[in-house]
Amino acid sequence: MSATLHPLLPPVEPDAAPAVRLTLKSGGAHRGLLDGAWWPRSRDLLSELPALTAALEPAWGRITRVAVNPTHWPVVPGRVPVDGHVVRVGWFTPEIDPHKLLLLSYRVGRWDLLVVPPGTGPEAAARLMAAASDPAGPELTASALLAADAARSASGEGVAVNASRSAAA
């Protein structure tokens, strides 16, 4: 599953939901610490998770569980309704990186996504999403990837990845 991340998203119909901003490693890519990245528009899991799971389910099968670290999520609902079924949501403070989302499905198994903070600018988000989904990219945790990008941005470098490889759905 891939699409292209555009600096300016196309206009959205007033009643249409905005596209999910998501990147994933290609199907045969070596799994590392991260399998891709998700750039939600808010910290509201109840409103953000249905679009994410709906985008992933055609390729991955039904998403059954999601786990997060509650550090950056003000409310962690126990269940989220998605297209006629319920996705169970759990939280684990020490076990899950605060900047990662863990997804479980019957068909694919477990996937770990970097959660790009909602307020991140488009250029930084593109760098982070490309780094998290690049099979040859750095083997960093979600928090380490964000810290490395912040440090390199402060020095004017940015994360050394090919931003054209990033994708969003």
Side-chain angles (χ1 to χ4, degrees):
M1 161 184 262
S2 67
T4 303
L5 176 66
H6 299 282
L8 299 173
L9 297 174
V12 176
E13 295 297 322
D15 294 334
V20 174
R21 300 180 296 187
L22 176 69
T23 62
L24 301 172
K25 287 184 179 177
S26 60
H30 165 6
R31 288 191 56 172
L33 297 175
L34 296 169
D35 299 300
W38 173 48
W39 185 23
R41 289 175 172 75
S42 74
R43 291 287 184 183
D44 181 358
L45 282 171
L46 197 56
S47 68
E48 296 287 343
L49 280 179
L52 175 65
T53 58
L56 294 171
E57 286 185 349
W60 290 6
R62 181 172 284 183
I63 304 297
T64 58
R65 294 187 182 270
V66 173
V68 298
N69 181 313
T71 301
H72 298 292
W73 301 101
V75 176
V76 179
R79 297 169 181 249
V80 174
V82 176
D83 290 333
H85 71 281
V86 173
V87 174
R88 295 171 93 56
V89 181
W91 59 269
F92 303 94
T93 305
E95 295 89 357
I96 297 180
D97 185 308
H99 298 286
K100 185 170 80 171
L101 178 88
L102 186 147
L103 296 142
L104 298 171
S105 79
Y106 288 126
R107 188 182 319 153
V108 177
R110 173 182 166 163
W111 286 73
D112 298 300
L113 299 179
L114 165 71
V115 177
V116 177
T120 304
E123 289 180 14
R127 284 192 311 271
L128 289 164
M129 293 176 82
S133 61
D134 185 352
E139 289 287 323
L140 298 173
T141 65
S143 288
L145 186 59
L146 285 167
D149 186 65
R152 290 183 176 135
S153 292
S155 70
E157 295 176 24
V159 173
V161 296
N162 181 354
S164 68
R165 295 185 59 160
S166 87

